[in-house]
Amino acid sequence: MNIIFLGPPGAGKGTQAQKICDALNIPQISTGDILRRAMKEGTETGLKAKSYIDAGQLVPDGVIIDIVKERLAMADCAGGYILDGFPRTVPQAEALDTFATIDSVIELDVADQVLVDRLSGRRVCLKCGATYHLSMLNGETRCAKCGEELIQRNDDKAETVLNRLEVYHAQTAPLIGYYEKKGLLKKVDGAQGLDLTFAAIMKALGAEA
Ligand code: AP5
Ligand code: MG
């Protein structure tokens, strides 16, 4: 099953994509994680992406489309995947239509005021991509999955978060209508607890929870 997770920053795309990918045994393709790793390694793509990401803007379509096209051609994607954070613009969605067939689009719906709180308390592991919230860490500073030191993302500063929300509403939200027209969109309430959201996504996908 080829799945897209759509939703504003902080909606829980990364958190739920990891859980659903584990359950369905398919890879999670997070363009944000790919770009952050490229920045950490100082590659050409990483250097290009950094100023956009730090400002809460989208990186240019041309940069990201080629990365996703190459990634989806890899062997581990043959049995399905979750796209987490791609497409983010109508031109990205149109490009995706030329090299992939999507079965389902899950829209995670969460109100803006909840998103700001979630992002300001988020801590992430750059090594394995695990995501936490300060409220669940009890002072722990290392990743429970791989032991790496957890960090706060640069773009989780309050003023950047507001930019990212604006960018989402202006450039990414039009994709809701794009996929609705194709009959692929399934809206899930992402403001529920982690387990209820997980169960609702599995149900929307027609998979056993
Ligand atoms: P990206 O990394 O994709 O960021 P994003 O879309 O802004 O989304 P987030 O990762 O911030 O949120 P999420 O929905 O994954 O939430 P999470 O699960 O972490 O992109 C970063 C940047 O890269 C972009 O701004 C752009 O510059 C660039 N980029 C990436 N893709 C691109 C593209 N296709 N085109 C152009 N540019 C691109 O959860 C958030 C927090 O909430 C966590 O602390 C979590 O623990 C908590 N939480 C999650 N679910 C729940 C729940 N149910 N209840 C309570 N807390 C919860
Ligand atoms: Mg994410």
Side-chain angles (χ1 to χ4, degrees):
M1 198 159 17
N2 302 337
I3 303 163
I4 292 172
F5 273 18
L6 196 60
K13 300 182 298 293
T15 302
Q16 293 296 337
Q18 269 212 340
K19 287 160 71 78
I20 303 281
C21 283
D22 284 350
L24 301 181
N25 201 21
I26 54 176
Q28 172 194 6
I29 318 292
S30 160
T31 44
D33 285 352
I34 292 171
L35 293 171
R36 278 184 290 280
R37 243 172 263 138
M39 290 197 300
K40 194 177 175 205
E41 288 163 8
T43 66
E44 202 185 315
T45 302
L47 294 175
K48 254 190 232 165
K50 187 172 172 22
S51 59
Y52 295 100
I53 293 184
D54 286 351
Q57 300 296 329
L58 297 181
V59 306
D61 289 339
V63 173
I64 203 77
I65 289 168
D66 287 346
I67 292 175
V68 174
K69 190 174 179 185
E70 259 178 47
R71 181 66 188 86
L72 295 190
M74 291 182 186
D76 64 331
C77 292
Y81 47 79
I82 293 181
L83 282 169
D84 157 16
F86 183 94
R88 281 278 234 286
T89 62
V90 172
Q92 289 181 20
E94 288 168 347
L96 181 66
D97 284 339
T98 68
F99 58 82
T101 305
I102 298 302
D103 301 301
S104 274
V105 178
I106 299 291
E107 181 208 347
L108 280 175
D109 183 38
V110 181
D112 281 8
Q113 58 271 29
V114 177
L115 300 171
V116 174
D117 169 64
R118 283 189 183 179
L119 292 173
S120 58
R122 173 167 61 184
R123 295 296 180 270
V124 297
C125 173
L126 281 187
K127 193 171 169 197
C128 75
T131 300
Y132 304 87
H133 192 271
L134 278 181
S135 61
M136 55 171 95
L137 281 169
N138 295 321
E140 184 53 69
T141 60
R142 290 190 170 274
C143 177
K145 289 194 177 154
C146 73
E148 184 83 354
E149 192 73 29
L150 297 173
I151 60 135
Q152 177 167 35
R153 278 170 44 177
N154 258 345
D155 59 347
D156 280 347
K157 288 177 295 191
E159 68 274 18
T160 316
V161 164
L162 295 179
N163 270 350
R164 286 163 62 205
L165 282 171
E166 256 179 49
V167 166
Y168 172 78
H169 290 299
Q171 299 190 50
T172 307
L175 294 179
I176 295 170
Y178 182 91
Y179 287 113
E180 216 161 25
K181 274 197 204 121
K182 290 178 181 284
L184 296 176
L185 194 83
K186 283 143 191 161
K187 191 177 183 132
V188 169
D189 176 7
Q192 316 171 73
L194 291 178
D195 293 343
L196 286 174
T197 307
F198 171 77
I201 296 171
M202 289 292 272
K203 191 169 169 216
L205 293 172
E208 289 289 317

